Amino acid sequence: MALFKDEISNRNAENQMISYLKGNEIASYDYFNANFNRKNAEAIWDKIRKDGFDTAVSMWLIDINEEKIHTPAEIDFYPEY
């Protein structure tokens, strides 16, 4: 289960994780119905335990580091025609 700012990021992260696992995995958007409160951690764990899962992966964004790279303009020493 990915808990990012928007649903598209959640799905992208979960799909990427599923591609790494290559086993018996299921994305949370397929597992939880639309009315399920994904912000209630206790309800999530209760459902996972009740359904017999032995492992769950959860991830959320905790920080963003942006690196700005300055590339100076190219300087030509030849006249342009």
Side-chain angles (χ1 to χ4, degrees):
M1 172 183 283
L3 299 171
F4 293 107
K5 187 176 182 178
D6 59 75
E7 188 62 28
I8 293 172
S9 297
N10 292 341
R11 285 179 179 251
N12 288 340
E14 290 184 27
N15 290 337
Q16 188 68 40
M17 182 61 71
I18 286 171
S19 73
Y20 292 142
L21 295 174
K22 297 179 179 152
N24 293 326
E25 62 281 327
I26 185 169
S28 69
Y29 56 83
D30 289 333
Y31 179 62
F32 296 112
N33 65 33
N35 298 327
F36 191 85
N37 182 2
R38 294 172 51 129
K39 295 183 180 183
N40 184 341
E42 198 59 40
I44 292 169
W45 285 111
D46 287 346
K47 181 167 176 53
I48 289 170
R49 285 186 201 108
K50 183 185 83 154
D51 290 343
F53 287 94
D54 59 358
T55 305
V57 176
S58 62
M59 62 185 111
W60 57 92
L61 183 63
I62 58 172
D63 192 16
I64 296 175
N65 290 325
E66 292 184 19
E67 182 178 336
K68 295 186 180 190
I69 299 173
H70 175 70
T71 305
E74 212 174 286
I75 300 173
D76 291 330
F77 294 103
Y78 304 101
E80 292 184 21
Y81 297 100

